[in-house]
Amino acid sequence: MPATSEVTFVIPAYNEAQELSLTLSCLHHAAACQADFRYDIVVCDNQSTDDTASIARSCHARVVHEPVQQIARARNTGAAAASCRWLIFLDADTRINRMLMASVLEKIRSGRYGLIGSLVEFDIEELDWFPLLVINTWNQVSLLSRCAAGSFIACPTSAFREIGGFHPDLFAGEEIDFSLRMLRWCRNHTVQAHIEAVAPVITSGRKIRGKSTWEMVKQLAILFPGSLRSRTACDFWYNDQWRD
């Protein structure tokens, strides 16, 4: 890791050989467009059985390993390997562009922010009405509440460690729990939380491709109290490859 890195990008990954190289390529390109920006990337391999780890290394990322297959734990393990001032959590199937990178980096350097997220778009040209409703609703909720989507979360490393990182008992929705605790941290430290709308991250719609509206509606059941702590209830995200 460069000694003067400003940011460590933390990417949890389980069997992401098909997606990871494009994600890292987009990340390197967006970062290269920023002046005097030094960064590093940590990919947390969450017990992959494919070439995820070797692809990460070939794309100039450090690789660490988390034996428990759970996205919150993978994020925490990746963050533990960082020593930079800021962490940016990015999903392994999510593309960041230079406009978003420039805007986020400006806010990081201003010293006025403690939590930064981004609006989200799927990589599907024409969405059916239900997933379109869900993503549009989430983006509005995110803007109003300033809760960050799990696909892109930026925060100071010191704040992450002070609040204890992501909750290790949650199998889904850990980004909401994390955002709420970070919002309290921001209030206590008189800094702002912000959701970027300048250029949304593009994330894979693979979990909704080929799914009926009813199948997607059933997944909303994980929002009920207690379900987020149940591996069985959150099986949609874990049964093949958890990538949210």
Side-chain angles (χ1 to χ4, degrees), residues 39-213:
Y39 65 98
D40 78 318
I41 302 170
V42 174
V43 171
C44 183
D45 181 12
N46 203 201
Q47 295 294 86
S48 297
T49 57
D50 64 4
D51 294 331
T52 291
S54 60
I55 289 172
R57 293 187 184 96
S58 70
C59 294
H60 309 291
R62 289 189 289 145
V63 176
V64 296
H65 298 274
E66 167 54 51
V68 178
Q69 270 189 16
Q70 187 177 6
I71 191 168
R73 291 176 183 268
R75 286 180 169 145
N76 288 342
T77 297
S83 60
C84 296
R85 289 180 51 246
W86 272 70
L87 298 167
I88 296 181
F89 296 91
L90 188 68
D91 278 354
D93 63 349
T94 299
R95 328 300 182 209
I96 184 173
N97 56 67
R98 61 177 183 170
M99 289 180 61
L100 177 60
M101 183 78 82
S103 184
V104 169
L105 189 56
E106 180 182 13
K107 289 178 174 60
I108 286 174
R109 290 171 172 172
S110 74
R112 299 195 303 269
Y113 295 85
L115 175 67
I116 305 170
S118 173
L119 298 186
V120 181
E121 292 181 357
F122 287 125
D123 63 349
I124 299 174
E125 291 186 4
E126 295 186 9
L127 284 172
D128 289 338
W129 71 271
F130 186 73
L132 182 62
L133 174 65
V134 170
I135 195 65
N136 286 342
T137 299
W138 163 254
N139 280 335
Q140 289 304 310
V141 169
S142 180
L143 284 171
L144 291 172
S145 68
R146 293 171 299 164
C147 283
S151 52
F152 184 91
I153 305 173
C155 67
T157 305
S158 59
F160 178 87
R161 291 175 178 161
E162 184 176 328
I163 71 168
F166 292 93
H167 200 302
D169 290 342
L170 296 177
F171 286 89
E174 75 290 335
E175 72 273 30
I176 305 301
D177 171 80
F178 179 79
S179 291
L180 293 174
R181 288 184 287 121
M182 274 302 306
L183 287 170
R184 289 194 292 271
W185 186 92
C186 288
R187 289 193 294 271
N188 291 337
H189 291 77
T190 61
V191 291
Q192 301 176 50
H194 176 74
I195 303 299
E196 286 285 349
V198 59
V201 293
I202 307 298
T203 197
S204 172
R206 58 193 167 178
K207 282 291 185 181
I208 64 173
R209 288 190 180 97
K211 298 292 190 301
S212 68
T213 296

Side-chain angles (χ1 to χ4, degrees), residues 169-173 219-231 233-234:
D169 290 342
L170 296 177
F171 286 89
Q219 302 316 313
L220 296 180
I222 68 171
L223 298 178
F224 288 103
S227 298
L228 299 178
R229 295 172 183 264
S230 167
R231 172 65 178 261
C234 299

